Structures are given as C-alpha cells and as structure tokens.
C-alpha cells in the first residue's frame, strides 16, 4: 500500500476516531494565521512566532492533500482565498486584529470545552492521548515564560494562561478515565 493510499484510507474511513474533514478544515489554519498576523502587526521578534508560518503552511498542505485524495481539489479554493484575504483584512484597523485574536482565544477555549464534554459524556479516553495534552500544557507554560521575557503582551498572556488551564484540565480528565478503565478491567 502506497503512502497516498494509506492517507486516503485514513481520511475516507468511516470511523468515529477519524476527524471528519468538515471539522478539520473549519478554523484551525485561520487561528494560526490570526496569531501569526497579530505577531507581525505588532512587530514582535521573529523567534516569538517562528513556528506559526510552518503551522499555517502545514495545515494548508494537509487540507490540499485531503481534497486531492477525496477527488475534489477545487473545493480547497475558498479556504485558500479566505486565508489570503484574511492576511490583508486583519490589519486594516487595529481593532480588527485585536478582536480576531480574542475570538481565536474564545474559539480555542470552546474546542477544549467540547473535548472535555465528550470525555465526560463518553467516559472513554481511548481516542485521545494524555501525553499530547500534557505536551500542549507544557508548550503553553513555555510560551507564557517567553512572552513575559520578550513582549509582555497581555492578550497573548491571557490566551496562554487560559489554554494552559484547559489543556491541563483535559490531560487530567484523560488520566482520570484511563485509571477508571484500568480499575474496571
């Protein structure tokens, strides 16, 4: 089986553990794009946001691959147009970039609450990794420290504090349900 066929099989699989394309393509690349544009707009040091251009490119390439293996690359055009136009629209006014950044924090928090709600309802942590969520928590803690040392931007600090708390909560919930699963066996 070629790499392309394995990718296509995983994308097209009809299981609950595979994220549907409609969910994957919604706002993830745009959140990275907003964060990247925010950092550029305020002329923060490149090292404080160096990973975001890579993350944006990675998500757009993944999106193109998904559409390619689904057989309809033309459907990716609106998302690419949205990203390119957002790059310019975000900085038309200062309040637009600030509002977008705050909305991204809200959307990220909402997605973590949705993950928590799923875990509470299903009481099954088998589809998610505590290590991944713990690494996300560690990343937020590190970003808090680097933000304090470089820019002290309150918006970014609030974002990372909220994400640290929620990522830690998700990791703890996963560990709780993993222990429950082990005890019941």
């Amino acid at each position: 089986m070629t790499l392309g066929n394995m990718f296509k099989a995983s994308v097209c699989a009809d299981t609950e553990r595979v994220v549907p394309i409609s969910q994957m393509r919604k706002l993830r690349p745009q959140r990275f794009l907003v964060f990247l544009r925010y950092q550029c707009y305020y002329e923060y040091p490149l090292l404080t946001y160096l990973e975001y251009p890579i993350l944006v490119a990675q998500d757009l390439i993944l999106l193109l691959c998904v559409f390619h293996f689904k057989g309809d690359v033309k459907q990716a055009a609106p998302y690419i147009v949205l990203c390119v136009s957002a790059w310019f629209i975000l900085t038309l006014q200062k309040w637009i970039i600030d509002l977008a950044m705050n909305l991204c924090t809200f959307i990220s928090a909402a997605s973590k609450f949705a993950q928590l709600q799923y875990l509470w309802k299903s009481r099954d942590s088998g589809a998610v990794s505590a290590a991944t969520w713990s690494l996300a928590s560690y990343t937020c803690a590190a970003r808090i420290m680097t933000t304090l040392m470089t820019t002290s931007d309150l918006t970014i600090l609030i974002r990372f504090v909220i994400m640290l708390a929620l990522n830690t909560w998700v990791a703890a919930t996963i560990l709780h349900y993993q222990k429950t699963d082990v005890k019941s066996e």
Side-chain angles (χ1 to χ4, degrees), residues 40-135:
C40 292
Y41 181 79
Y42 285 105
E43 297 178 356
Y44 290 147
L46 179 63
L47 291 176
T48 62
Y49 62 92
L50 190 57
E51 74 271 16
Y52 286 95
I54 296 165
L55 292 172
V56 170
Q58 169 189 304
D59 280 356
L60 290 176
I61 291 168
L62 177 63
L63 188 64
L64 286 172
C65 287
V66 168
F67 281 118
H68 172 74
F69 289 114
K70 284 264 193 194
D72 195 6
V73 177
K74 292 178 184 176
Q75 272 190 326
Y79 298 102
I80 293 172
V81 168
L82 176 69
C83 287
V84 170
S85 60
W87 182 261
F88 296 103
I89 292 171
L90 283 170
T91 56
L92 290 176
Q93 297 283 323
K94 181 185 180 302
W95 68 268
I96 295 173
I97 190 72
D98 292 338
L99 177 65
M101 187 64 178
N102 290 319
L103 287 174
C104 284
T105 299
F106 176 76
I107 291 167
S108 294
S111 72
K112 287 169 185 24
F113 276 119
Q115 182 70 50
L116 281 165
Q117 184 180 22
Y118 172 78
L119 288 168
W120 294 331
K121 188 183 289 185
S122 70
R123 298 186 181 275
D124 176 23
S125 63
V128 289
S129 165
T132 300
W133 285 94
S134 297
L135 283 172

Side-chain angles (χ1 to χ4, degrees), residues 108-168:
S108 294
S111 72
K112 287 169 185 24
F113 276 119
Q115 182 70 50
L116 281 165
Q117 184 180 22
Y118 172 78
L119 288 168
W120 294 331
K121 188 183 289 185
S122 70
R123 298 186 181 275
D124 176 23
S125 63
V128 289
S129 165
T132 300
W133 285 94
S134 297
L135 283 172
S137 298
Y138 172 77
T139 300
C140 287
R143 297 305 262 151
I144 289 169
M145 296 306 297
T146 58
T147 301
L148 284 171
M149 290 188 278
T150 56
T151 64
S152 297
D153 185 307
L154 189 60
T155 303
I156 295 174
L157 284 171
I158 290 170
R159 173 184 174 73
F160 285 124
V161 167
I162 291 169
M163 295 304 111
L164 173 62
L166 292 173
N167 287 339
T168 303

